[in-house]
Amino acid sequence: MMHGLAVSLLTFILIYASLGNEIEEKATSVTEDPKPHSASEEGRSCGCNSLNRAGVSSGSESKVLFPEAAVKYTREANEPPVKNTKETARFNQMVLIPRGVFMMGTDEPAIPQDGEGPARRVHIQQFYMDMYEVSNLEFEHFVNATGHVTEAEKFRDSFVFEGLLSEKVKNKITQAVAAAPWWMPVKEANWRQPEGPDSSLADRLEHPVLHVSWNDAVAYCAWAKKRLPTEAEWEYACRGGLENRLFPWGNKLLPKNQHYANIWQGDFPGHNTGEDGYTETSPVTAFPPNGYGLYNMVGNAWEWTADWWSVHHSTDETHNPTGPATGKDKVKKGGSYMCHKSYCYRYRCVARSQNTPDSSASNLGFRCAADQLPDYLQ
Ligand SMILES: *[C@@H]1O[C@H](CO)[C@@H](O)[C@H](O)[C@H]1NC(C)=O
Ligand SMILES: [Ca+2]
Ligand SMILES: [Ca+2]
């Protein structure tokens, strides 16, 4: 990293000291005011895009490790990935997202440097979208069936939010992400042991799978006879049929004082009150669905999309755009359980962030889309 740890720690302390006014979050969110707050307040880095593997983040184009995954897993999958039995009834359910036209992005970006603007007219063909983030249980089915080894397992480490770590694990770590010191590279952290060797998936099988890279997500979706959604599809689906709203359910963060997403309440990164019921991930089925029947589009786990990252967008009207032809980072959408307005006001449909395709972290997962409903779901 360019910045010395001392500098970033100072920045961190300064930002941390200014968090006092976040108590007003509730008061401001109950107004029906869609006007975004100033960029200087919410454009602060959450470290969301700092979690790139060394040697890849500064390189030119990064390597896609599983280019043949689509062919391989589709061909070898003679059986449906999972029988739609009662036990696995939730597995891979999808909803039809009707074709339509929407305004992608916004002319009133809360975080302009993320490329949230400009607003542009986008036509979307009908497609299917996973109702839920892909869960640990589903990912386990995939790994059992294919022997897939995730990139975090190959690299033998992954980024974990410090607040989740045991003292024992924390004490062994000396290095941190300069721009976001609450991210710790943890040895042997991966989807099966999200906080390192002394953790497991017990009681979390219905939570979103984490520590999956973009390449892992592509491999999973191919195996399930699906694909990753494009950013445009994801954003269109996030809006749930509503126009020009901040969140999948409207403009109020807490309609009738109810939580509609798993984000962070309290002071980031020091104290998460868990007012929404969860200080970490929630089951993928938690919280009310949006107008299309999709759960946890914002909050809980960030979700990979198919697109390469760019912050420059044409205002031209487009049909089923697929993003830049090449790039270094992939787009992720929706924010996570770690997002607080002060640091990461990215639990909005137009919000976006990015990581290299081999990156993984304890707040990053995915869901799949499809042009046609896979046969095993019909
Ligand atoms: C995956 O395989 C392990 C070991 O055989 C088994 O215990 C587990 O139940 C399997 N998981 C699924 C989701 O089928
Ligand atoms: Ca929460
Ligand atoms: Ca999500």
Side-chain angles (χ1 to χ4, degrees), residues 133 296-299 301 303:
E133 296 153 334
N296 292 295
M297 288 296 283
V298 299
E303 300 174 24

Side-chain angles (χ1 to χ4, degrees), residues 137-138 140-141 144:
L137 181 66
E138 289 162 83
E140 189 174 289
H141 276 294
N144 280 9

Side-chain angles (χ1 to χ4, degrees), residues 92 129-136 138-139 142 150 191 207-224 226-229 234 284 295-297 300-306 331-333 363-369:
N92 284 338
M129 187 77 155
D130 278 355
M131 283 170 70
Y132 311 98
E133 296 153 334
V134 172
S135 68
N136 287 311
E138 289 162 83
F139 202 78
F142 160 63
T150 61
W191 73 277
H207 288 224
V209 65
L210 306 171
H211 297 296
V212 282
S213 68
W214 184 88
N215 292 309
D216 297 325
V218 166
Y220 174 93
C221 291
W223 169 75
K226 302 177 182 179
R227 58 177 173 78
L228 280 179
W234 194 99
V284 297
Y295 291 74
N296 292 295
M297 288 296 283
N300 212 26
W302 277 100
E303 300 174 24
W304 289 112
T305 73
V331 178
K332 61 179 180 181
K333 297 282 279 183
N363 66 348
L364 177 50
F366 68 102
R367 80 180 68 209
C368 310

